[in-house]
Amino acid sequence: KFLLPEPATTHPSPIRARTQLAPMSTDFKTKICCIGAGYVGGPTMATIALKCPDVKVHVVDINPKQIARWNSDTLPIYEPGLDAVVKKVRNKNLFFSTKIDEAIQECEIIFVSVNTPTKTYGVGAGRAADLKNWELAARNIAKVANGPKIIVEKSTLPVRTAHSMRKVLMANDRKIHFEVLSNPEFLAEGTAMEDLDMPDRVLIGGMTTKLGQEAVQKLVDVYAHWVPMERIITTNLWSSELSKLVANAFLAQRISSINSISELCEATGADVQEVSHAIGKDQRIGKRFLNASVGFGGSCFQKDILNLVYLCESFGLKEVSEYWNQVVKINDHQKHRFATKMIKSMFNTISGKKIALMGFAFKKDTGDTRETASVYVAKHLLAERAKVSIYDPKVEKEQIEFDFNYYKALTPGREFKECVTVETDPYKAAEGAHAIAIMTEWDEFKKYDFKKMYESMAKPAFIFDGRLILDHAKLQDIGFTVYAIGKPYGVKYQNMDDLNA
């Protein structure tokens, strides 16, 4: 796990060896600020501060509670390794505050890492990115800047956003010059600190003008403190912006592809894990992102694909748009059919039955719940008047309740406390339940005493494994009725011998 800088001998690169052993400087060569103290801004700036002792880093946000938590012993986000890094550099060359204007004026490089959700209103609603926060940040930078600045897009944005933002910035009445760069993040939550420590690539896009290339070099010099030069890719602005959307679209496409095959496996008697293992051995395909599940979540995949869909529609590329939209449709279908399978398995009625959802984060090793499959599955269960009990080791009750309201998962006329309980003990969550559903692949779930859970549950007791992490044979021996994504349980022909029946 990535925690603190390793000895120079571990990384033979001359750049790495020199900078990782450098003492913390009080005379900073470069000053950087990041507007937005969220999942991207916080970890990214903490890593830059750690790797670049000659760089002063400000992380600013309009939310005082968010900043207070960054300055406390309880950070606002959970990410393995993050806490140790922040404690190492905080108040040395990494500073968190709400003083946005002062940070803009002090720093020459300004990262903008604000939220760009999918629009819920107007033209492009449900597909296009809502750039309101980004434009507000750009206008404020133009208003308070006291000299030339390099503005870095860190949020995921549509292609040619940089062009629009540059117009906003350059419209200032003081003739201050701005260069806009695109530097998309390629982090995976749960391994973000490792991804930042040893990135596959760092992508920087800029204008092809002399000033544009000078700005690109300035940002290259920051990353070169620890990233080998062959991993730093420079492109034009448009290629950089589009690469981020396409990367997430391709990853999500693989998940939807294997999830579509999981349904075929259930119908035919094939085993999706055996299929994914077999095709993953093909070096042209590879094994990554071939784990069938209840569906992908997170802040990026669905948002970025929908953004790509809208972009294609805007340019009249109907067939391309429909192709990528199908990735989202399959993901929605997977969540819906998982919930439907639960209902049908429990005799087509779950009214008044307690169902325990194990996991609410969209994936393990993070507290992020954005677009989590859990809330969508719960919505279907609540519509059938089930009682839902939730346990997650990292997600707080307040966040879960917020998500049920935000994603409109509650049945109209019913309040959260009437139909949902949040437990801090997984055994309490399962007590009296008719079924357990594994919604997040937390490692601790594999270690539970399921015999103890079984004894406390209503009978017949069901387990629905939406992440394929449990020992299904052992669970069946205990007495559970087991359903798992892509597994042929209940199929007439489970193996060749059955063909003689």
Side-chain angles (χ1 to χ4, degrees), residues 4 14 42 68 80 112 130 159 179 227 229 255 269 279 320 361 367 412 428 453 457 470 474 480 486 493:
L4 302 175
V112 180
D130 190 340
V159 181
E179 283 296 331
V227 181
M229 290 301 296
I255 297 173
I279 66 173
V320 180
K428 181 70 173 175
M453 287 188 175
M457 294 173 64
L470 302 182
K474 185 176 179 180
F480 283 104
Y493 301 124

Side-chain angles (χ1 to χ4, degrees), residues 104-411:
I104 291 171
Q105 292 174 349
E106 180 181 352
C107 300
E108 60 257 51
I109 300 177
I110 302 168
F111 285 78
V112 180
S113 184
V114 295
N115 191 25
T116 53
T118 302
K119 283 186 72 176
T120 58
Y121 57 90
V123 177
R127 292 167 299 168
D130 190 340
L131 302 180
K132 176 183 176 181
N133 294 332
W134 220 104
E135 183 174 340
L136 287 173
R139 290 186 181 279
N140 189 55
I141 292 169
K143 177 182 176 182
V144 305
N146 55 353
K149 306 288 180 182
I150 298 171
I151 312 302
V152 183
E153 294 178 341
K154 203 63 181 174
S155 308
T156 302
L157 300 163
V159 181
R160 303 193 74 85
T161 298
H163 178 70
S164 301
M165 291 302 104
R166 193 169 187 273
K167 283 187 174 182
V168 172
L169 292 162
M170 296 298 284
N172 71 88
D173 56 7
R174 289 164 295 148
K175 307 301 180 185
I176 295 176
H177 183 77
F178 296 93
E179 283 296 331
V180 180
L181 305 180
S182 170
N183 176 218
E185 54 86 14
F186 297 101
L187 307 178
E189 290 186 49
T191 60
M193 300 308 290
E194 295 176 16
D195 298 338
L196 287 162
D197 182 41
M198 290 287 287
D200 294 329
R201 77 289 201 198
V202 170
L203 180 59
I204 302 172
M207 301 286 285
T208 56
T209 62
K210 181 176 182 293
L211 289 177
Q213 290 305 294
E214 288 176 356
V216 168
Q217 187 59 49
K218 186 85 171 177
L219 190 54
V220 167
D221 291 342
V222 172
Y223 283 110
H225 280 72
W226 81 97
V227 181
M229 290 301 296
E230 62 269 20
R231 294 191 183 186
I232 301 177
I233 303 171
T234 58
T235 68
N236 69 41
L237 272 172
W238 324 136
S239 295
S240 179
E241 288 179 330
L242 184 57
S243 293
K244 167 62 176 176
L245 294 181
V246 173
N248 280 340
F250 270 57
L251 294 174
Q253 178 198 48
R254 285 175 68 91
I255 297 173
S256 281
S257 294
I258 197 64
N259 280 345
S260 71
I261 298 303
S262 74
E263 187 170 8
L264 181 60
C265 287
E266 292 170 29
T268 61
D271 184 319
V272 73
Q273 287 182 306
E274 293 177 349
V275 172
S276 62
H277 177 72
I279 66 173
K281 286 295 185 181
D282 188 327
Q283 294 183 0
R284 296 168 301 172
I285 298 173
K287 65 181 181 181
R288 301 291 298 277
F289 283 80
L290 288 180
N291 296 320
S293 70
V294 68
F296 61 74
S299 63
C300 292
F301 282 0
Q302 178 161 310
K303 181 186 75 171
D304 289 356
I305 294 175
L306 292 174
N307 195 337
L308 186 62
V309 167
Y310 183 70
L311 185 68
C312 293
E313 287 179 350
S314 299
F315 286 103
L317 308 177
K318 179 183 177 183
E319 291 78 10
V320 180
S321 171
E322 290 176 347
Y323 174 82
W324 287 109
N325 194 47
Q326 194 63 32
V327 174
V328 177
K329 284 186 175 181
I330 288 291
N331 193 54
D332 291 340
H333 170 66
Q334 187 78 339
K335 291 179 284 191
H336 180 264
R337 80 177 189 88
F338 185 78
T340 300
K341 184 69 176 183
M342 293 177 68
I343 296 165
K344 287 183 177 180
S345 298
M346 290 187 281
F347 320 112
N348 279 314
T349 177
I350 57 173
S351 178
K353 294 179 180 178
K354 177 181 177 180
I355 299 174
L357 301 186
M358 295 295 177
F360 198 78
F362 84 90
K363 62 183 285 188
K364 72 173 185 177
D365 293 333
T366 180
D368 194 351
T369 62
R370 288 174 289 183
E371 295 296 337
T372 177
S374 291
V375 77
Y376 290 104
V377 170
K379 181 177 183 178
H380 290 298
L381 301 179
L382 292 178
E384 294 290 330
R385 299 189 176 182
K387 295 181 178 179
V388 174
S389 176
I390 298 172
Y391 167 76
D392 189 286
K394 291 297 178 182
V395 183
E396 298 176 354
K397 178 182 177 181
E398 291 75 17
Q399 182 63 51
I400 293 174
E401 185 170 358
F402 172 85
D403 287 333
F404 269 83
N405 287 298
Y406 182 81
Y407 292 105
K408 298 179 174 60
L410 295 173
T411 304

